[in-house]
């Protein structure tokens, strides 16, 4: 009897841990990304806080592509910083202070791989072959009001090791 009870507890704990790792974080993301509106954060810091590490890239991409993508994303973050520095608000300011709402759209890398993702940016097709399957991803769109149809979209974020990571692919 003890053995059956022990087996039941182990099975239950495995099922619970799997359901927690695959949970929908849409509501959590909607609240979290409001930090972008906080004027005490400058744009550069916001991007740096969400830049992928080598470990993040190895989690997201197949085989040896993690290292290659890590290098590519490092370059992307430098280019993004330069782009925003040349716009009307410098990097030491915050380009998000005019936004008041966040739209969160969830998708899965399996849908991307199977070409069934209707909300994914078109450029994601360039990395489809390198993505690992079954990873929850989120498009985050910053809006001036809740009713706005369009805003400033960043695709895509993934929640890895208790932090939001940006893999820019717009």
């Amino acid at each position: 009897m003890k053995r059956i009870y022990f087996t039941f507890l182990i099975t239950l704990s495995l099922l619970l841990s799997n359901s927690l790792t695959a949970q929908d974080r849409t509501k959590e993301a909607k609240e979290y990304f409001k930090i972008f509106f906080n004027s005490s954060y400058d744009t550069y810091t916001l991007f740096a806080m969400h830049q992928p590490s080598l470990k993040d890239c190895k989690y997201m991409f197949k085989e040896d592509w993690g290292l290659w993508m890590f290098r590519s994303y490092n370059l992307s973050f430098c280019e993004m910083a330069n782009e925003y520095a040349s716009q009307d608000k410098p990097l030491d300011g915050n380009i998000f202070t005019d936004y008041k709402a966040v739209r969160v759209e969830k998708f899965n890398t399996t849908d991307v791989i199977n070409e069934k993702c209707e909300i994914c940016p078109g450029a994601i097709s360039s990395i489809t072959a390198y993505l690992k399957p079954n990873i929850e991803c989120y498009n985050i769109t910053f809006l001036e009001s809740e009713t706005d149809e369009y805003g400033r979209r960043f695709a895509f974020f993934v929640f890895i090791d208790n932090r939001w990571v940006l893999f820019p692919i717009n």
Side-chain angles (χ1 to χ4, degrees):
M1 182 68 174
K2 238 182 184 178
R3 188 174 185 179
I4 293 171
Y5 181 72
F6 182 71
T7 304
F8 171 76
L9 287 178
I10 289 176
T11 305
L12 183 62
S13 68
L14 288 172
L15 288 172
L16 287 175
S17 67
N18 285 342
S19 68
L20 289 176
T21 56
Q23 74 185 35
D24 183 347
R25 297 188 177 275
T26 303
K27 288 181 183 177
E28 178 185 333
K30 194 166 184 161
E31 284 305 308
Y32 173 80
F33 284 100
K34 290 178 181 178
I35 68 163
F36 279 63
F37 311 148
N38 184 339
S39 61
S40 68
Y41 289 102
D42 63 73
T43 304
Y44 180 79
T45 300
L46 288 167
F47 287 135
M49 287 168 46
H50 300 92
Q51 184 172 354
S53 67
L54 177 58
K55 183 180 174 186
D56 299 331
C57 290
K58 286 183 175 184
Y59 170 82
M60 193 72 205
F61 300 100
K62 295 176 184 176
E63 299 143 11
D64 295 334
W65 287 102
L67 177 59
W68 190 88
M69 294 304 280
F70 173 69
R71 290 177 179 153
S72 297
Y73 282 122
N74 274 328
L75 282 173
S76 292
F77 273 84
C78 290
E79 290 170 6
M80 194 183 320
N82 289 333
E83 177 186 336
Y84 287 114
S86 68
Q87 292 182 4
D88 58 352
K89 293 184 179 180
L91 275 178
D92 59 354
N94 182 334
I95 63 170
F96 297 99
T97 55
D98 294 337
Y99 298 102
K100 306 295 180 232
V102 177
R103 180 184 310 122
V104 178
E105 300 169 299
K106 182 179 86 163
F107 63 94
N108 190 297
T109 54
T110 300
D111 295 334
V112 176
I113 292 164
N114 294 329
E115 298 178 6
K116 294 182 179 180
C117 184
E118 296 179 14
I119 63 164
C120 295
I124 204 165
S125 63
S126 64
I127 63 168
T128 299
Y130 315 116
L131 291 171
K132 287 184 180 176
N134 206 28
I135 298 173
E136 298 294 324
C137 304
Y138 299 83
N139 291 330
I140 306 298
T141 305
F142 297 96
L143 307 164
E144 290 182 10
S145 76
E146 283 287 342
T147 58
D148 284 356
E149 187 175 346
Y150 301 104
R152 185 178 287 227
R153 181 172 82 162
F154 289 86
F156 56 94
F157 281 88
V158 178
F159 193 78
I160 304 172
D161 291 335
N162 293 314
R163 75 182 193 99
W164 288 98
V165 179
L166 174 61
F167 295 93
I169 193 74
N170 288 344

